[in-house]
Amino acid sequence: MATWAFSSSDTTVTQASYDVQVYNNSTGALVFDTGSIASSVSQYVIPANTLVNGTEYKWRVQYTDSGGNASPWSDYQVFKCSSAPTVSVTSPTSAQTITANTVTVAGTYSQSQGVSEQSFRAVIFASDQSTIYADSGTVLNTANQYSVSGLPNGTYYAQFTVTSADGLSTTSGKVQFTVNFNGLASSVGISTTPLPDAAAIRVDFYTPKSIPGTYVGPGETYKPGKWGQAIQVAALGEKVYFTVAPFNQFMYTSWFSPQIASSAMKNDQVIAHIQADANNYVEVRYDPVGQTFILDYCVAGNILTTVSPSGLTFNANDWLMVALRQTSTLDAFVGIGGNWYKWTVEVDTTTTSNTIGVMTFGTGTYANPVVVKNMSYTTAYIGCSPQDGNEANALFDQTHLTAQTLTDSDIEELYTNATQQTFNFESMFLANFDGDLEGGTATPTPIDHWNVYRLYNGIQKLLATISNTGQPTVSYTDSTPFSGLTYQYNVVPVDTSGNIGNPQTAQGSVEFDGWWLSDPTTGSLFQFYLNVADVPLKMNRQRTEYQTSGKYPIVAYSPTRYRTGTLKSMVVDQFNSTQSPREQYESLQSMIDTHNMLLLRGDEGQGFMIDAYGEIDTVPSRNHKQYHNVEISWTEVASA
């Protein structure tokens, strides 16, 4: 479409007609001429199929006013015809389930006239297809891929946009994919702390605890286990048990291979036995005759026995899960044959029998739940009791003992979704029997380092990579947040092979006073905390005026748009106990002398990447050495 502006020194006349001509810019041949068209409209759409993509043209216009006066022909304007590029999403594929913790969105670019690619953008939407979860922004290269770590399990949509060197863009359709990842140990207990005196946010998280006393026994073959403890690999049929640091609140979860369990369960087969000593323990048994699970709670040699619903048989196509949870009460859970049951150690006031009634999950009422004794357990047997022989572990696929207790609905959801466990900060052991039912090892592999990400408005930024030195508490200080904004921090563990674990997330924000200048590369900070003048923020635009034969010029703007300003501050020694005012100014000067892009942040949420220059240090008179006046000039050079 050709557009122009009518102008005349005679303000009483208007445009009456126009003529638009289009030429081949290479050959100079006239390609199209509208002829004189009677109209006051100052634009014309060149008919379809008149021009050829890939060819450069030039056009000009002449108009006649209502007084019959013809204007001179305008200057030529050069343009090129080009078709929009073609784009497709190559990764992830439609309906793909991604079992890793890093998702890479990749796309392809093509253009029928061979116009090169200028940029791309990848966006990941949440399940509602409108909320942006991650956004690469416009990337000025042709890599055409964007990776995001730490997506929680769920459904997402990927979309890809490419732009040609001619400035034409095409956006793909949205490709659905699912993240379903169970991976490395996670650092739970992540928290954030605002640091207003440093214009920063501290992120604290924890190294999963080391349990050097944990082992599986007996036997002779050992492997290095989680966090360095010795883990024995039991041969098929050997007795398996763990000893751990004393604990009294726990969550025990075991998964079974039903094809084996259905034929290998003996009479009163012990599923789990957790004990302080021989007279104080918790035990779950299975009775294949009555088809019931039995919960024994023994205190000082006295046993309370609670029986599950009867008729619980194995289905070779369904996984079997048994869970034990002790807080102030003791509860047992069984997922079997697609059904879910719960029962609790109870005192039945209507009978002297120790066999207490049963309860199906979600229905019925309890009698009087027993308040459990606060005993310290130290040993957990998998599929056997201390009195049993070496026949236990043939039944198991995975067993997890942790101090991180779950709600009823959380436990039911584990079974419903067939979700096995991952090692976490509260884990005491995690034994995987490798699917072949031979032995186990505490998994997963140790954490080598953490990646700390900050997510805001759909943009995820890698802030730091922190090595695992074995310290129980790890801290990272984000010295670049804007005042008053709420960020999500994702801490992602990575092992030595590059495998990525489940992220832990926390939100954080900080509000601070004054203006802060920081170097994201070195971490240097300088606060303009006693501003002695208002802070001017000048907006600059590239603007060009073209003189015409008419009364008014034509004004054009380029995309260039940036801010400039000055900052003035009084530097006082009482605000910095380690540096004199002169030393503080020299620190500022050193920061500027690096010629790095610096981040300037204000207390109302402003933020600019700047080039700072023209620093001035006003030295006080002899009687006022305790303060200096400093000033810098700055120019915005990139988006913050």
Side-chain angles (χ1 to χ4, degrees):
M1 182 172 67
T3 62
W4 61 92
F6 173 83
S7 66
S8 174
S9 58
D10 184 352
T11 58
T12 64
V13 299
T14 59
Q15 177 179 298
S17 65
Y18 63 85
D19 184 1
V20 173
Q21 294 179 342
V22 180
Y23 294 82
N24 185 302
N25 194 42
S26 298
T27 66
L30 178 64
V31 175
F32 179 76
D33 189 343
T34 63
S36 180
I37 297 177
S39 174
S40 62
V41 175
S42 297
Q43 64 182 38
Y44 179 78
V45 177
I46 299 171
N49 302 318
T50 302
L51 307 177
V52 178
N53 284 330
T55 303
E56 190 172 74
Y57 298 92
K58 59 184 179 180
W59 71 278
R60 63 180 184 172
V61 63
Q62 182 185 56
Y63 51 76
T64 302
D65 66 24
S66 55
N69 302 306
S71 72
W73 285 97
S74 69
D75 292 336
Y76 285 104
Q77 298 292 317
V78 178
F79 68 96
K80 182 180 180 181
C81 284
S82 180
S83 59
T86 301
V87 63
S88 64
V89 177
T90 58
S91 175
T93 57
S94 180
Q96 179 181 356
T97 297
I98 296 173
T99 57
N101 194 238
T102 296
V103 175
T104 297
V105 180
T108 61
Y109 169 92
S110 62
Q111 204 278 341
S112 56
Q113 288 80 51
V115 178
S116 61
E117 181 180 2
Q118 180 187 72
S119 63
F120 73 90
R121 178 188 178 193
V123 179
I124 296 177
F125 294 90
S127 58
D128 61 6
Q129 300 191 51
S130 60
T131 301
I132 295 178
Y133 194 92
D135 188 342
S136 70
T138 299
V139 182
L140 295 173
N141 61 45
T142 60
N144 289 340
Q145 67 177 32
Y146 170 59
S147 296
V148 179
S149 298
L151 291 178
N153 289 346
T155 300
Y156 299 90
Y157 291 83
Q159 190 174 65
F160 212 81
T161 299
V162 293
T163 302
S164 71
D166 290 335
L168 299 177
S169 299
T170 302
T171 299
S172 72
K174 294 174 181 175
V175 176
Q176 180 184 344
F177 67 95
T178 301
V179 175
N180 185 15
F181 172 72
N182 292 302
L184 299 182
S186 297
S187 305
V188 303
I190 181 174
S191 62
T192 60
T193 302
L195 305 174
D197 290 340
I201 299 172
R202 191 181 72 237
V203 182
D204 298 307
F205 51 99
Y206 306 96
T207 303
K209 63 179 66 171
S210 175
I211 313 167
T214 302
Y215 68 94
V216 183
E220 299 178 355
T221 305
Y222 287 82
K223 287 184 179 180
K226 185 67 180 176
W227 320 126
Q229 76 271 28
I231 299 296
Q232 180 194 351
V233 179
L236 180 62
E238 286 188 340
K239 185 186 300 185
V240 180
Y241 59 92
F242 287 76
T243 61
V244 297
F247 62 96
N248 51 43
Q249 176 173 294
F250 65 87
M251 187 80 232
Y252 174 99
T253 310
S254 272
W255 286 86
F256 296 78
S257 300
Q259 295 88 340
I260 302 296
S262 59
S263 59
M265 284 265 190
K266 66 183 183 64
N267 193 33
D268 282 335
Q269 171 72 56
V270 174
I271 306 298
H273 179 99
I274 300 174
Q275 72 169 42
D277 53 50
N279 292 315
N280 296 275
Y281 62 84
V282 177
E283 187 173 274
V284 177
R285 298 177 282 125
Y286 179 69
D287 175 11
V289 178
Q291 297 178 339
T292 58
F293 286 87
I294 301 163
L295 174 60
D296 293 325
Y297 179 54
C298 181
V299 178
N302 300 306
I303 302 175
L304 283 173
T305 298
T306 309
V307 182
S308 77
S310 60
L312 302 186
T313 58
F314 294 92
N315 183 337
N317 297 318
D318 292 323
W319 285 97
L320 165 67
M321 190 186 87
V322 170
L324 271 171
R325 180 185 64 201
Q326 178 170 305
T327 52
S328 59
T329 60
L330 181 63
D331 307 304
F333 304 83
V334 169
I336 185 171
N339 296 312
W340 183 248
Y341 305 93
K342 170 189 174 182
W343 68 105
T344 296
V345 173
E346 299 168 324
V347 173
D348 189 338
T349 57
T350 63
T351 176
T352 58
S353 170
N354 280 336
T355 301
I356 314 301
V358 299
M359 175 185 164
T360 301
F361 182 82
T363 63
T365 58
Y366 290 118
N368 299 317
V370 171
V371 176
V372 299
K373 180 183 177 183
N374 188 21
M375 68 176 75
S376 293
Y377 300 102
T378 58
T379 308
Y381 290 78
I382 301 177
C384 60
S385 70
Q387 295 76 33
D388 283 338
N390 298 334
E391 68 279 291
N393 69 338
L395 305 173
F396 293 86
D397 185 72
Q398 184 195 74
T399 299
H400 185 218
L401 180 67
T402 175
Q404 186 181 34
T405 57
L406 303 176
T407 65
D408 290 3
S409 58
D410 288 338
I411 300 169
E412 182 183 14
E413 186 176 355
L414 290 180
Y415 174 67
T416 302
N417 297 330
T419 305
Q420 296 196 12
Q421 297 290 278
T422 56
F423 204 95
N424 61 54
F425 176 60
E426 299 294 338
S427 293
M428 288 172 268
F429 67 78
L430 175 66
N432 287 311
F433 292 87
D434 303 329
D436 60 6
L437 305 179
E438 288 195 12
T441 178
T443 57
T445 55
I447 294 173
D448 177 72
H449 64 273
W450 291 271
N451 290 332
V452 181
Y453 297 90
R454 187 180 70 195
L455 180 66
Y456 179 74
N457 200 25
I459 304 296
Q460 179 169 265
K461 179 181 181 181
L462 175 63
L463 297 178
T465 295
I466 301 176
S467 298
N468 181 10
T469 61
Q471 296 298 316
T473 302
V474 183
S475 295
Y476 169 76
T477 299
D478 176 13
S479 59
T480 61
F482 291 178
S483 181
L485 300 186
T486 298
Y487 299 93
Q488 176 176 303
Y489 291 90
N490 299 330
V491 176
V492 181
V494 184
D495 71 9
T496 54
S497 300
N499 298 310
I500 297 175
N502 287 318
Q504 294 296 315
T505 64
Q507 290 188 329
S509 64
V510 64
E511 294 186 359
F512 50 83
D513 294 327
W515 288 81
W516 290 75
L517 187 65
S518 58
D519 187 337
T521 304
T522 64
S524 301
L525 286 170
F526 186 88
Q527 184 185 10
F528 293 83
Y529 41 69
L530 287 177
N531 295 324
V532 296
D534 293 336
V535 179
L537 301 176
K538 180 183 178 182
M539 178 61 72
N540 301 271
R541 295 178 175 87
Q542 185 172 334
R543 177 181 178 275
T544 305
E545 293 184 5
Y546 296 96
Q547 301 301 317
T548 69
S549 59
K551 181 178 180 180
Y552 302 105
I554 294 175
V555 178
Y557 289 90
S558 78
T560 303
R561 184 173 182 269
Y562 62 96
R563 295 173 178 84
T564 56
T566 58
L567 274 176
K568 299 178 182 179
S569 178
M570 183 182 294
V571 181
V572 184
D573 57 4
Q574 71 184 73
F575 285 91
N576 190 320
S577 59
T578 62
Q579 289 184 319
S580 68
R582 180 181 62 82
E583 290 170 334
Q584 292 178 61
Y585 170 74
E586 290 174 348
S587 297
L588 172 64
Q589 192 172 42
S590 296
M591 187 188 309
I592 294 174
D593 284 345
T594 63
H595 303 300
N596 294 331
M597 282 196 297
L598 304 179
L599 175 62
L600 179 62
R601 295 172 292 149
D603 53 18
E604 294 184 355
Q606 307 95 330
F608 318 106
M609 295 302 298
I610 68 167
D611 174 59
Y613 61 96
E615 58 272 27
I616 299 173
D617 179 20
T618 303
V619 181
S621 64
R622 180 181 301 273
N623 297 328
H624 299 87
K625 290 185 177 181
Q626 69 272 27
Y627 75 88
H628 283 205
N629 287 315
V630 300
E631 178 181 345
I632 66 168
S633 299
W634 58 270
T635 298
E636 184 180 15
V637 293
S639 172

